Amino acid sequence: MTLRKLKYTFLLIPLVLVFNCNMNFANYEKITIFEYLNKPEKEINILTAALILSKEIYPSIRFKDYINTIESISQKADFYTQGSNNPRVRITAINKALFQDFGFSYDRTDYMGRLEENHFLSSVLDRKKGVCTSMPLVYLVIAEKLGYPVYAVDAPDHTFLRYIINTEEYINIEVTSGGLEIPDLFYIDDFMIPKNTYKNG
């Protein structure tokens, strides 16, 4: 794994805990990811961090283009919910907007995640393809925009998402499969997660 991919992986999970979107994105096009992450936690959000990281690899990008794309997807998903607070309605709405209307999909030519362009938000939004780290990132940015309680979950060599309903209920979202709801047992069996690890969270 390259240093660039390691930097992305390092950022993905910590950033999912932050949901403040009131930013002037253009102000951040000239700062480094390390400068951004030194800001107070309440001033950090996933979209800005992901774009700053993308700009370190693709210096010519302009944040506005990607912000507009996320805004369009988010607006379409919000329209489909018709104001519903039901988690499954919200998930279905994002799925429809992201995968059907905007045509995003898992990059089946890169199962091992070796292509650099599959690891950065800007290139994933440009290509409408990504892998099991970057596709959840796109989904998270949309959920962040909509204010939904969606978080990343780290499994061995894989990342999926979880919509938190309450302290005892949640819905797993497998973004690489079009946002399907997947039970814990599938991940436990498929990734051979030890029972003690699962019980310890």
mmCIF file with all atom_site columns, all heavy atoms in Angstrom, residues 182-195:
data_model
loop_
_atom_site.group_PDB
_atom_site.id
_atom_site.type_symbol
_atom_site.label_atom_id
_atom_site.label_alt_id
_atom_site.label_comp_id
_atom_site.label_asym_id
_atom_site.label_entity_id
_atom_site.label_seq_id
_atom_site.pdbx_PDB_ins_code
_atom_site.Cartn_x
_atom_site.Cartn_y
_atom_site.Cartn_z
_atom_site.occupancy
_atom_site.B_iso_or_equiv
_atom_site.pdbx_formal_charge
_atom_site.auth_seq_id
_atom_site.auth_comp_id
_atom_site.auth_asym_id
_atom_site.auth_atom_id
_atom_site.pdbx_PDB_model_num
ATOM 1   N N   . ILE A 1 182 ? -27.197 -5.490  5.147  1.00 0.00 ? 182 ILE A N   1
ATOM 2   C CA  . ILE A 1 182 ? -26.494 -6.749  5.376  1.00 0.00 ? 182 ILE A CA  1
ATOM 3   C C   . ILE A 1 182 ? -26.426 -7.024  6.885  1.00 0.00 ? 182 ILE A C   1
ATOM 4   O O   . ILE A 1 182 ? -26.027 -6.142  7.649  1.00 0.00 ? 182 ILE A O   1
ATOM 5   C CB  . ILE A 1 182 ? -25.061 -6.700  4.805  1.00 0.00 ? 182 ILE A CB  1
ATOM 6   C CG1 . ILE A 1 182 ? -25.088 -6.382  3.306  1.00 0.00 ? 182 ILE A CG1 1
ATOM 7   C CG2 . ILE A 1 182 ? -24.320 -7.996  5.077  1.00 0.00 ? 182 ILE A CG2 1
ATOM 8   C CD1 . ILE A 1 182 ? -25.643 -7.474  2.435  1.00 0.00 ? 182 ILE A CD1 1
ATOM 9   N N   . PRO A 1 183 ? -26.799 -8.219  7.334  1.00 0.00 ? 183 PRO A N   1
ATOM 10  C CA  . PRO A 1 183 ? -26.744 -8.520  8.776  1.00 0.00 ? 183 PRO A CA  1
ATOM 11  C C   . PRO A 1 183 ? -25.314 -8.701  9.276  1.00 0.00 ? 183 PRO A C   1
ATOM 12  O O   . PRO A 1 183 ? -24.403 -9.021  8.507  1.00 0.00 ? 183 PRO A O   1
ATOM 13  C CB  . PRO A 1 183 ? -27.524 -9.839  8.886  1.00 0.00 ? 183 PRO A CB  1
ATOM 14  C CG  . PRO A 1 183 ? -27.391 -10.475 7.544  1.00 0.00 ? 183 PRO A CG  1
ATOM 15  C CD  . PRO A 1 183 ? -27.353 -9.334  6.553  1.00 0.00 ? 183 PRO A CD  1
ATOM 16  N N   . ASP A 1 184 ? -25.119 -8.497  10.565 1.00 0.00 ? 184 ASP A N   1
ATOM 17  C CA  . ASP A 1 184 ? -23.803 -8.674  11.175 1.00 0.00 ? 184 ASP A CA  1
ATOM 18  C C   . ASP A 1 184 ? -23.214 -10.048 10.874 1.00 0.00 ? 184 ASP A C   1
ATOM 19  O O   . ASP A 1 184 ? -22.013 -10.186 10.647 1.00 0.00 ? 184 ASP A O   1
ATOM 20  C CB  . ASP A 1 184 ? -23.887 -8.516  12.700 1.00 0.00 ? 184 ASP A CB  1
ATOM 21  C CG  . ASP A 1 184 ? -24.068 -7.067  13.126 1.00 0.00 ? 184 ASP A CG  1
ATOM 22  O OD1 . ASP A 1 184 ? -23.922 -6.168  12.277 1.00 0.00 ? 184 ASP A OD1 1
ATOM 23  O OD2 . ASP A 1 184 ? -24.352 -6.841  14.316 1.00 0.00 ? 184 ASP A OD2 1
ATOM 24  N N   . LEU A 1 185 ? -24.070 -11.067 10.897 1.00 0.00 ? 185 LEU A N   1
ATOM 25  C CA  . LEU A 1 185 ? -23.594 -12.441 10.732 1.00 0.00 ? 185 LEU A CA  1
ATOM 26  C C   . LEU A 1 185 ? -22.829 -12.626 9.429  1.00 0.00 ? 185 LEU A C   1
ATOM 27  O O   . LEU A 1 185 ? -21.853 -13.371 9.374  1.00 0.00 ? 185 LEU A O   1
ATOM 28  C CB  . LEU A 1 185 ? -24.777 -13.416 10.795 1.00 0.00 ? 185 LEU A CB  1
ATOM 29  C CG  . LEU A 1 185 ? -24.417 -14.904 10.806 1.00 0.00 ? 185 LEU A CG  1
ATOM 30  C CD1 . LEU A 1 185 ? -23.543 -15.236 12.013 1.00 0.00 ? 185 LEU A CD1 1
ATOM 31  C CD2 . LEU A 1 185 ? -25.679 -15.759 10.804 1.00 0.00 ? 185 LEU A CD2 1
ATOM 32  N N   . PHE A 1 186 ? -23.270 -11.937 8.381  1.00 0.00 ? 186 PHE A N   1
ATOM 33  C CA  . PHE A 1 186 ? -22.570 -12.037 7.096  1.00 0.00 ? 186 PHE A CA  1
ATOM 34  C C   . PHE A 1 186 ? -21.128 -11.571 7.246  1.00 0.00 ? 186 PHE A C   1
ATOM 35  O O   . PHE A 1 186 ? -20.195 -12.238 6.783  1.00 0.00 ? 186 PHE A O   1
ATOM 36  C CB  . PHE A 1 186 ? -23.285 -11.190 6.036  1.00 0.00 ? 186 PHE A CB  1
ATOM 37  C CG  . PHE A 1 186 ? -22.499 -11.055 4.758  1.00 0.00 ? 186 PHE A CG  1
ATOM 38  C CD1 . PHE A 1 186 ? -22.577 -12.024 3.774  1.00 0.00 ? 186 PHE A CD1 1
ATOM 39  C CD2 . PHE A 1 186 ? -21.663 -9.962  4.547  1.00 0.00 ? 186 PHE A CD2 1
ATOM 40  C CE1 . PHE A 1 186 ? -21.836 -11.912 2.598  1.00 0.00 ? 186 PHE A CE1 1
ATOM 41  C CE2 . PHE A 1 186 ? -20.926 -9.834  3.381  1.00 0.00 ? 186 PHE A CE2 1
ATOM 42  C CZ  . PHE A 1 186 ? -21.016 -10.815 2.403  1.00 0.00 ? 186 PHE A CZ  1
ATOM 43  N N   . TYR A 1 187 ? -20.930 -10.424 7.867  1.00 0.00 ? 187 TYR A N   1
ATOM 44  C CA  . TYR A 1 187 ? -19.572 -9.886  8.022  1.00 0.00 ? 187 TYR A CA  1
ATOM 45  C C   . TYR A 1 187 ? -18.732 -10.759 8.954  1.00 0.00 ? 187 TYR A C   1
ATOM 46  O O   . TYR A 1 187 ? -17.547 -10.984 8.715  1.00 0.00 ? 187 TYR A O   1
ATOM 47  C CB  . TYR A 1 187 ? -19.626 -8.455  8.557  1.00 0.00 ? 187 TYR A CB  1
ATOM 48  C CG  . TYR A 1 187 ? -20.239 -7.477  7.585  1.00 0.00 ? 187 TYR A CG  1
ATOM 49  C CD1 . TYR A 1 187 ? -21.492 -6.919  7.827  1.00 0.00 ? 187 TYR A CD1 1
ATOM 50  C CD2 . TYR A 1 187 ? -19.578 -7.121  6.418  1.00 0.00 ? 187 TYR A CD2 1
ATOM 51  C CE1 . TYR A 1 187 ? -22.057 -6.022  6.933  1.00 0.00 ? 187 TYR A CE1 1
ATOM 52  C CE2 . TYR A 1 187 ? -20.142 -6.229  5.515  1.00 0.00 ? 187 TYR A CE2 1
ATOM 53  C CZ  . TYR A 1 187 ? -21.387 -5.685  5.787  1.00 0.00 ? 187 TYR A CZ  1
ATOM 54  O OH  . TYR A 1 187 ? -21.950 -4.808  4.893  1.00 0.00 ? 187 TYR A OH  1
ATOM 55  N N   . ILE A 1 188 ? -19.358 -11.268 10.004 1.00 0.00 ? 188 ILE A N   1
ATOM 56  C CA  . ILE A 1 188 ? -18.641 -12.130 10.947 1.00 0.00 ? 188 ILE A CA  1
ATOM 57  C C   . ILE A 1 188 ? -18.129 -13.379 10.245 1.00 0.00 ? 188 ILE A C   1
ATOM 58  O O   . ILE A 1 188 ? -16.974 -13.784 10.407 1.00 0.00 ? 188 ILE A O   1
ATOM 59  C CB  . ILE A 1 188 ? -19.559 -12.507 12.125 1.00 0.00 ? 188 ILE A CB  1
ATOM 60  C CG1 . ILE A 1 188 ? -19.866 -11.257 12.957 1.00 0.00 ? 188 ILE A CG1 1
ATOM 61  C CG2 . ILE A 1 188 ? -18.913 -13.576 13.008 1.00 0.00 ? 188 ILE A CG2 1
ATOM 62  C CD1 . ILE A 1 188 ? -20.981 -11.461 13.959 1.00 0.00 ? 188 ILE A CD1 1
ATOM 63  N N   . ASP A 1 189 ? -19.001 -13.990 9.443  1.00 0.00 ? 189 ASP A N   1
ATOM 64  C CA  . ASP A 1 189 ? -18.626 -15.221 8.730  1.00 0.00 ? 189 ASP A CA  1
ATOM 65  C C   . ASP A 1 189 ? -17.673 -14.929 7.577  1.00 0.00 ? 189 ASP A C   1
ATOM 66  O O   . ASP A 1 189 ? -16.653 -15.604 7.397  1.00 0.00 ? 189 ASP A O   1
ATOM 67  C CB  . ASP A 1 189 ? -19.873 -15.933 8.203  1.00 0.00 ? 189 ASP A CB  1
ATOM 68  C CG  . ASP A 1 189 ? -20.698 -16.556 9.313  1.00 0.00 ? 189 ASP A CG  1
ATOM 69  O OD1 . ASP A 1 189 ? -20.175 -16.692 10.435 1.00 0.00 ? 189 ASP A OD1 1
ATOM 70  O OD2 . ASP A 1 189 ? -21.866 -16.892 9.064  1.00 0.00 ? 189 ASP A OD2 1
ATOM 71  N N   . ASP A 1 190 ? -17.998 -13.909 6.788  1.00 0.00 ? 190 ASP A N   1
ATOM 72  C CA  . ASP A 1 190 ? -17.228 -13.642 5.576  1.00 0.00 ? 190 ASP A CA  1
ATOM 73  C C   . ASP A 1 190 ? -15.807 -13.190 5.892  1.00 0.00 ? 190 ASP A C   1
ATOM 74  O O   . ASP A 1 190 ? -14.863 -13.550 5.183  1.00 0.00 ? 190 ASP A O   1
ATOM 75  C CB  . ASP A 1 190 ? -17.935 -12.570 4.745  1.00 0.00 ? 190 ASP A CB  1
ATOM 76  C CG  . ASP A 1 190 ? -17.462 -12.542 3.304  1.00 0.00 ? 190 ASP A CG  1
ATOM 77  O OD1 . ASP A 1 190 ? -17.393 -13.621 2.688  1.00 0.00 ? 190 ASP A OD1 1
ATOM 78  O OD2 . ASP A 1 190 ? -17.169 -11.453 2.793  1.00 0.00 ? 190 ASP A OD2 1
ATOM 79  N N   . PHE A 1 191 ? -15.653 -12.419 6.960  1.00 0.00 ? 191 PHE A N   1
ATOM 80  C CA  . PHE A 1 191 ? -14.327 -11.909 7.312  1.00 0.00 ? 191 PHE A CA  1
ATOM 81  C C   . PHE A 1 191 ? -13.711 -12.657 8.493  1.00 0.00 ? 191 PHE A C   1
ATOM 82  O O   . PHE A 1 191 ? -12.669 -12.257 9.004  1.00 0.00 ? 191 PHE A O   1
ATOM 83  C CB  . PHE A 1 191 ? -14.401 -10.411 7.616  1.00 0.00 ? 191 PHE A CB  1
ATOM 84  C CG  . PHE A 1 191 ? -14.804 -9.590  6.433  1.00 0.00 ? 191 PHE A CG  1
ATOM 85  C CD1 . PHE A 1 191 ? -16.063 -9.021  6.353  1.00 0.00 ? 191 PHE A CD1 1
ATOM 86  C CD2 . PHE A 1 191 ? -13.935 -9.401  5.363  1.00 0.00 ? 191 PHE A CD2 1
ATOM 87  C CE1 . PHE A 1 191 ? -16.448 -8.266  5.262  1.00 0.00 ? 191 PHE A CE1 1
ATOM 88  C CE2 . PHE A 1 191 ? -14.311 -8.647  4.256  1.00 0.00 ? 191 PHE A CE2 1
ATOM 89  C CZ  . PHE A 1 191 ? -15.571 -8.093  4.209  1.00 0.00 ? 191 PHE A CZ  1
ATOM 90  N N   . MET A 1 192 ? -14.364 -13.742 8.894  1.00 0.00 ? 192 MET A N   1
ATOM 91  C CA  . MET A 1 192 ? -13.856 -14.602 9.969  1.00 0.00 ? 192 MET A CA  1
ATOM 92  C C   . MET A 1 192 ? -13.489 -13.794 11.218 1.00 0.00 ? 192 MET A C   1
ATOM 93  O O   . MET A 1 192 ? -12.393 -13.891 11.759 1.00 0.00 ? 192 MET A O   1
ATOM 94  C CB  . MET A 1 192 ? -12.665 -15.430 9.473  1.00 0.00 ? 192 MET A CB  1
ATOM 95  C CG  . MET A 1 192 ? -13.043 -16.396 8.364  1.00 0.00 ? 192 MET A CG  1
ATOM 96  S SD  . MET A 1 192 ? -11.664 -17.374 7.746  1.00 0.00 ? 192 MET A SD  1
ATOM 97  C CE  . MET A 1 192 ? -10.760 -16.138 6.814  1.00 0.00 ? 192 MET A CE  1
ATOM 98  N N   . ILE A 1 193 ? -14.437 -12.953 11.643 1.00 0.00 ? 193 ILE A N   1
ATOM 99  C CA  . ILE A 1 193 ? -14.218 -12.115 12.815 1.00 0.00 ? 193 ILE A CA  1
ATOM 100 C C   . ILE A 1 193 ? -14.444 -12.957 14.074 1.00 0.00 ? 193 ILE A C   1
ATOM 101 O O   . ILE A 1 193 ? -15.504 -13.552 14.244 1.00 0.00 ? 193 ILE A O   1
ATOM 102 C CB  . ILE A 1 193 ? -15.174 -10.908 12.803 1.00 0.00 ? 193 ILE A CB  1
ATOM 103 C CG1 . ILE A 1 193 ? -14.902 -10.053 11.555 1.00 0.00 ? 193 ILE A CG1 1
ATOM 104 C CG2 . ILE A 1 193 ? -15.024 -10.080 14.074 1.00 0.00 ? 193 ILE A CG2 1
ATOM 105 C CD1 . ILE A 1 193 ? -15.905 -8.947  11.328 1.00 0.00 ? 193 ILE A CD1 1
ATOM 106 N N   . PRO A 1 194 ? -13.475 -13.015 14.985 1.00 0.00 ? 194 PRO A N   1
ATOM 107 C CA  . PRO A 1 194 ? -13.640 -13.814 16.214 1.00 0.00 ? 194 PRO A CA  1
ATOM 108 C C   . PRO A 1 194 ? -14.811 -13.314 17.059 1.00 0.00 ? 194 PRO A C   1
ATOM 109 O O   . PRO A 1 194 ? -15.115 -12.121 17.087 1.00 0.00 ? 194 PRO A O   1
ATOM 110 C CB  . PRO A 1 194 ? -12.304 -13.592 16.956 1.00 0.00 ? 194 PRO A CB  1
ATOM 111 C CG  . PRO A 1 194 ? -11.342 -13.175 15.900 1.00 0.00 ? 194 PRO A CG  1
ATOM 112 C CD  . PRO A 1 194 ? -12.152 -12.395 14.889 1.00 0.00 ? 194 PRO A CD  1
ATOM 113 N N   . LYS A 1 195 ? -15.474 -14.246 17.747 1.00 0.00 ? 195 LYS A N   1
ATOM 114 C CA  . LYS A 1 195 ? -16.641 -13.887 18.552 1.00 0.00 ? 195 LYS A CA  1
ATOM 115 C C   . LYS A 1 195 ? -16.305 -12.871 19.627 1.00 0.00 ? 195 LYS A C   1
ATOM 116 O O   . LYS A 1 195 ? -17.080 -11.960 19.912 1.00 0.00 ? 195 LYS A O   1
ATOM 117 C CB  . LYS A 1 195 ? -17.238 -15.143 19.184 1.00 0.00 ? 195 LYS A CB  1
ATOM 118 C CG  . LYS A 1 195 ? -17.903 -16.072 18.171 1.00 0.00 ? 195 LYS A CG  1
ATOM 119 C CD  . LYS A 1 195 ? -18.523 -17.277 18.859 1.00 0.00 ? 195 LYS A CD  1
ATOM 120 C CE  . LYS A 1 195 ? -19.197 -18.194 17.838 1.00 0.00 ? 195 LYS A CE  1
ATOM 121 N NZ  . LYS A 1 195 ? -19.777 -19.390 18.466 1.00 0.00 ? 195 LYS A NZ  1
#
